[in-house]
Amino acid sequence: MNVAHEVNLLVQEIQRLGQPGADGKISVTFGTLFNDDKCANLFEALVGTLRAAKRKKIISYDGELLLQGVHDKTVITLQTTNS
């Protein structure tokens, strides 16, 4: 698995599905990403890709582990488009 490539794809999907906030940064909820058909086909391990992007400070969200259902309303914010 090429982590850099997966993170790049994640950035593209957040840009596609997200909305700019008052600060101009694009945000999307975990539920939106998790339930999107294209994302489901792209990412074998969406949660793992999110954690890798968070470690690289490309995205931010509250908490460490995101679980479908429980964390569907957790907001994921794109911090940068560089990966």
Side-chain angles (χ1 to χ4, degrees), residues 25-38:
K25 293 181 179 179
I26 298 173
S27 296
V28 66
T29 63
F30 175 65
T32 300
L33 278 177
F34 192 89
N35 293 312
D36 182 73
D37 287 337
K38 185 175 178 188

Side-chain angles (χ1 to χ4, degrees), residues 11 15 17-21 23 25-27 33 38-39 43-44 46 54-55 59 66 72 74 76-78 80 82-83:
V11 168
Q15 290 171 334
L17 295 168
Q19 299 292 324
D23 60 1
K25 293 181 179 179
I26 298 173
S27 296
L33 278 177
K38 185 175 178 188
C39 286
F43 303 108
E44 257 184 64
L46 176 61
K54 184 176 181 179
R55 276 194 303 272
I59 62 170
L66 297 175
D72 282 356
T74 298
I76 300 165
T77 303
L78 188 59
T80 178
N82 299 332
S83 55

Side-chain angles (χ1 to χ4, degrees), residues 43-80:
F43 303 108
E44 257 184 64
L46 176 61
V47 173
T49 304
L50 287 166
R51 289 183 74 191
K54 184 176 181 179
R55 276 194 303 272
K56 294 180 179 207
K57 299 189 184 332
I58 294 169
I59 62 170
S60 63
Y61 56 86
D62 291 336
E64 287 300 315
L65 180 66
L66 297 175
L67 301 172
Q68 194 269 328
V70 177
H71 298 111
D72 282 356
K73 293 183 180 178
T74 298
V75 176
I76 300 165
T77 303
L78 188 59
Q79 299 299 316
T80 178

